[in-house]
Every structure is written in C-alpha cells, then in structure tokens.
Amino acid sequence: MASKLQNICALSNEVGKSLSDYEKWTSFLKSAAWQYKYSFQDQLFIYAQRPDATACASIDVWNKRLKSWINRGSKGIALLREGDRGKYLDYVFDISDTHTSGSPIRLWQYNSRFDNAIIETLENSFGELKNKSSITDAILSAAQNAVEDSKADYLSELKYAKENSFLDGLDELNIDVEFQRTAEVSIAYIVLQRLGINADNIFEREDFPHIMNFNTPETLSVLGNAVSSISEETLRGISETIRAEIKNERTKNFAEKEKTIYNESKENTQTKTNERTDIYDRDN
C-alpha cells in the first residue's frame, strides 16, 4: 500500500513540475474545467491519471445519490488524503466508469439564451463588470475582479513560496502583476471550457507570458489554489443560474400549456352552448 501511495504521489509531482509551460498548463486547465468542484491538489491527481475524465465521484455518491453503479473492471482514480493514521489513498470514478438502470445522468450545459442571467449572477458575485458586451468579455471581467479582490492572501503566500523559482528576485509590484494576469486568464480559460466554448480560440500563448515563472511546486500550488477556488465559485454560480433558468422555463411552459388547455376547454363549452341554442331556435 505504501508503494502504491508513493507511486501515485511521485506521478502527481512529476506532472506538476511540468505545468509551468503554456501547452501543459492549458492542457491541465481543460481537465480542471470538468473537475471544478475539487481542490487544486485533487485536480492535479485526476489530471495525472485520467486527463479525459469529465465527472468524478466516490462509489458512495454514485451508488446512493446518483443511483449508478461502477462497471466491472473499472480502475479508480487515486486521490491523496490524510487522516489520524497519516496519508492514504481514496478513490473516485469517472462517469464513463458507471452505468444506471434508470434515466442517464446529464451534466449541466450552457446555452447562449442564459447569457443575461449568467452575467447578472457574475455581477452579483464579483461586482460591476468592466465589459459585458458578450459572455466571454463578462467572464474575463469577472475573473479580473475576483482575483483583485482575493489576491492579497495569495501574494502573501508567494513571498515565502517564491524561493528558488523564477519569481525570486522580482519586486512585489511585478509579482503582483504576473500573478494577477496569470490567475485571471487561467480562471477565464477554465470557465469558458466548462461552458463548451473553446478557450484555445480566445487565448494564445501570449496571454500566458508568466506561467513559466511559477516553476516550483510551491509557487504553482499558490497559483493553482487561487485558480481552483475562484473557478469553483464562478462555475457553481453559473450552474445554479442555468438550473434555475431551466426550471423557470419549464414552469412557464407548463403554465402556458395549462392555459391553452383551459382556453380550448372553454371554447368547446361555448361551442356546445351555441349548438344547443341553435337547435332550440330551430325547433321553436
């Protein structure tokens, strides 16, 4: 068991060390977009083992809450945990490893008809947006606001974490600028990816000029924790908004259907009344 734990940790560390590179970092962000409810450390473990996973959960969650069962022969994704007896591995499974006898599980999906509601949610969560002419601009502005509001604690951590990294030697202003830019673009990348908008069509290598400076596990962890935390808050808000909008649409459609049925019933009643009147008139 110790060997398994050591191997998984070594794999995660090896992958983590390679992420201070544009291609590797954006590849990780694509994976993290689907694992936004997990911590940065968990996202890293999932990416190292199953970068194509889209929805992970424990056996208990799949069985008890989602009424799904793990396919025979499926291999779990190991996550590092720490308890009273020290470190150990816990396992989650991707949705592709499961089956259900009932209705298939559907992950929430973005549609542009929700844009106004989503933008309103972003402003309620992160303040007035500098640019909200499109959903992409709104997400970028929200990410910028969110990082500005929360970066003080992360910058404080970087003061101690920057040793032996390429951030070492930079003054506080430059570290602030590099962290702000890298974090906000990374958050926007994750959010757009989860919405089904190809972030590679929006961002280029030039948008991540400072990722190479977060080249130690310590500095990458500070950046990753910020990106993970803010992305989760953003996407949870968006998902709740989409679900609420869909519920409102269904309620509205149901009400309209009921109204239509009522009107048709009323028309039929009136027609029958008219028919009876016509018959009475003819007979008399």
Side-chain angles (χ1 to χ4, degrees):
M1 186 62 179
S3 177
K4 175 74 171 179
L5 189 151
Q6 291 172 356
N7 289 338
I8 291 295
C9 289
L11 173 63
S12 176
N13 289 335
E14 181 180 350
V15 171
K17 291 177 181 178
S18 71
L19 294 184
S20 59
D21 169 84
Y22 167 71
E23 281 82 8
K24 297 290 180 60
W25 181 243
T26 52
S27 177
F28 165 76
L29 295 178
K30 288 183 176 72
S31 172
W34 292 98
Q35 314 303 334
Y36 67 88
K37 294 182 180 180
Y38 286 88
S39 66
F40 173 63
Q41 176 181 267
D42 285 350
Q43 290 173 344
L44 196 55
F45 273 82
I46 294 171
Y47 175 69
Q49 298 167 75
R50 290 281 294 278
D52 60 340
T54 56
C56 294
S58 66
I59 290 180
D60 281 348
V61 170
W62 285 121
N63 292 172
K64 298 178 181 179
R65 190 187 305 173
L66 301 173
K67 307 302 179 185
S68 297
W69 290 266
I70 307 303
N71 299 331
R72 186 184 299 275
S74 295
K75 185 178 180 181
I77 302 169
L79 302 180
L80 183 63
R81 296 289 182 259
E82 190 163 1
D84 296 337
R85 298 183 179 181
K87 295 180 179 180
Y88 65 95
L89 296 178
D90 195 13
Y91 292 86
V92 295
F93 292 83
D94 183 45
I95 190 172
S96 62
D97 299 322
T98 69
H99 66 277
T100 178
S101 57
S103 301
I105 296 173
R106 296 180 179 178
L107 305 179
W108 63 266
Q109 293 183 322
Y110 160 77
N111 187 292
S112 59
R113 73 179 187 275
F114 305 131
D115 281 0
N116 289 337
I118 291 173
I119 291 172
E120 182 179 353
T121 295
L122 292 175
E123 286 201 307
N124 290 337
S125 299
F126 305 112
E128 183 178 355
L129 305 179
K130 296 178 181 178
N131 189 343
K132 51 184 177 180
S133 57
S134 69
I135 191 65
T136 299
D137 290 331
I139 289 170
L140 280 164
S141 294
Q144 182 179 7
N145 289 354
V147 176
E148 288 177 349
D149 290 343
S150 63
K151 67 182 176 182
D153 290 339
Y154 296 111
L155 290 174
S156 180
E157 290 182 47
L158 277 178
K159 289 182 181 180
Y160 304 97
K162 67 180 182 178
E163 186 177 359
N164 297 322
S165 75
F166 292 158
L167 292 174
D168 204 4
L170 295 180
D171 58 30
E172 292 185 3
L173 176 60
N174 278 295
I175 291 177
D176 184 329
V177 170
E178 295 195 5
F179 177 82
Q180 172 76 39
R181 180 57 180 166
T182 307
E184 68 183 44
V185 175
S186 299
I187 292 163
Y189 192 106
I190 284 179
V191 174
L192 290 169
Q193 278 292 134
R194 180 58 187 86
L195 265 56
I197 301 171
N198 190 345
D200 287 334
N201 292 335
I202 299 170
F203 300 107
E204 300 177 346
R205 178 184 294 272
E206 289 71 20
D207 293 303
F208 293 87
H210 311 299
I211 186 60
M212 66 182 66
N213 291 338
F214 295 83
N215 63 319
T216 61
E218 293 78 12
T219 54
L220 188 69
S221 179
V222 175
L223 174 65
N225 287 335
V227 171
S228 175
S229 177
I230 297 173
S231 297
E232 178 181 6
E233 181 182 0
T234 306
L235 285 169
R236 280 186 182 274
I238 290 175
S239 67
E240 290 171 3
T241 299
I242 289 175
R243 290 189 179 98
E245 288 296 301
I246 291 175
K247 184 178 180 180
N248 290 338
E249 288 178 352
R250 289 174 177 170
T251 300
K252 182 179 179 181
N253 290 338
F254 178 78
E256 290 177 349
K257 183 178 180 181
E258 288 291 298
K259 182 178 180 181
T260 300
I261 293 173
Y262 170 77
N263 288 336
E264 288 177 351
S265 175
K266 189 175 181 181
E267 289 173 2
N268 290 336
T269 301
Q270 184 63 46
T271 299
K272 291 179 180 179
T273 301
N274 292 339
E275 288 174 350
R276 285 197 296 269
T277 302
D278 290 343
I279 292 172
Y280 178 83
D281 289 342
R282 286 198 297 272
D283 290 342
N284 293 278

